[in-house]
Amino acid sequence: MNWIILIIAGFFEVGFASCLGKAKQATGNEMYAWYAGFLICLAISMTLLIKATQTLPLGTAYAVWTGIGAVGTVLMGIFFFKDPVNFWRIFFITTLVGSIVGLKMVSN
């Protein structure tokens, strides 16, 4: 169950990073709404990470959480923010996903 909580926490990490990207592009009240989304996603992500680390090893949980956040944020950047796509970006994202899966497989 805590692995599911950790994965959801990682998705909220993607959410807070994406809100920062959108806030940078917005002005006025829309910008403040994106910053509010950032704070909400940050609070949820941290709360879930704390919950997951109650039973999962801290180092593994943190690595998986940041990995999900990194992969998700890169994908959000590619699909929604028009970030560049090239072989090496995809290659290293793929190796990161493999590392996350590997950590899950070797953890108790």
Side-chain angles (χ1 to χ4, degrees):
M1 180 64 181
N2 281 323
W3 281 102
I4 294 169
I5 291 171
L6 184 61
I7 291 167
I8 294 168
F11 288 149
F12 276 100
E13 184 185 4
V14 175
F16 74 70
S18 299
C19 285
L20 282 178
K22 294 299 278 184
K24 185 174 70 171
Q25 298 173 348
T27 58
N29 287 336
E30 182 183 356
M31 177 186 67
Y32 294 118
W34 285 112
Y35 282 130
F38 162 79
L39 292 173
I40 292 166
C41 288
L42 178 66
I44 293 170
S45 183
M46 291 296 160
T47 301
L48 293 175
L49 178 61
I50 290 167
K51 174 70 175 148
T53 58
Q54 290 175 347
T55 59
L56 298 175
L58 178 62
T60 301
Y62 184 75
V64 170
W65 177 74
T66 57
I68 291 169
V71 170
T73 302
V74 168
L75 293 176
M76 289 291 287
I78 289 169
F79 291 116
F80 296 104
F81 295 103
K82 308 297 185 234
D83 287 354
V85 180
N86 60 46
F87 170 79
W88 290 111
R89 286 188 77 161
I90 301 303
F91 173 78
F92 287 116
I93 289 297
T94 303
T95 60
L96 185 54
V97 169
S99 297
I100 293 168
V101 170
L103 279 172
K104 165 67 170 100
M105 291 173 59
V106 299
S107 295
N108 294 339

